[in-house]
Amino acid sequence: MNKAKGLLLVLLSFVSITVFCQNQIEYRSDFGRIYPENPNDIVLTNNVVFNHKDMTMYCDSAIFNQKDNFFDAYGNIKMEQGDSLTLFGDFLHYDGETKIGELNGNLVTLKDNDITLLTDYLVLDRNVNTVSYYSSATIFNDKDTLRSKEGVYFIDTEEFSFYYSVKLRSKDAYLDADSLFYNSKTKLSQFYGDTALLIVYDDTTHVDSTIVLTAFGEYNSDKETVFSNTRPLIYTKTQFFTGD
C-alpha cells in the first residue's frame, strides 16, 4: 500500500444502511466516516438514528463499532420504546449484545405515561425492562413527588423501588422513610425504616395534622388512607395513641 492510500480517509454519504443480523444494531445517518486506524468504527453525523429490538434512538453524532455491536452517542439523545417510554440525555453508551444502555447528562429525563423522572445518570436494562439510578433523582406524577438517592423503575408495571433517604410529598401528606415501594398507577406507597415518618395534613394550613411513626406502613395518596401493623405511634394535636 502506498503512502497516499495509507492516509486514505473513507467517506460514506448515505441515507440508510441496514445490517441483517439477529442482534445487530441498525443505523442510518446523512454522513459517515471510517478511519483506517479504526476500521471497525463508523463516525456518524447529521440525523443519526439507531434501531434495536423495538427501540429507536436519536442523536446529533455517534461512533458505532460494527464488530462489537455498540455505540457512543452525543448530543440531544432521545430514546423511544413502545407507545409511552421516552428518555432524554446528553451522552449514551448502548451495547447491542447486552441490551444495556447508560445515559447521562445535565438533566437526564425519563417520561412514561404520567411519570417523569429527573436525574443525571441512569441505566436501562432491556433484558428485565428496568431503569436504575444511583445519584439521586426526583420523580413526579399528577399526585405525588418523590426523591431518593437510589432507585429502580419497573417499566412493565410502572412501579418503583426507592432506597436511602426516600421522601414523598403529596397535596395531603409528607413521608420520610429509608426505603419505599411505589405503584404509580394505584398511588400506593409501602414504606420501611427503623422509624418511618408520615405526616397527614388535616387542613390546608398544615397546623392540624396527624403524625405516624412506624417501621412499616402503607399510604395511598389517591384514597388518602394509611395502614400499619407494626405498633405505630400516632399523634394528633391533642391526642396520642398506639396499637398492634
Side-chain angles (χ1 to χ4, degrees), residues 72-85:
D72 291 328
Y74 308 87
N76 295 308
I77 307 297
K78 182 179 181 182
M79 309 172 71
E80 295 179 331
Q81 177 177 286
D83 297 329
S84 61
L85 182 69

Side-chain angles (χ1 to χ4, degrees), residues 101-113:
E102 297 180 64
L103 184 64
N104 57 34
N106 291 324
L107 187 63
V108 176
T109 305
L110 176 152
K111 291 183 178 292
D112 193 8
N113 293 317

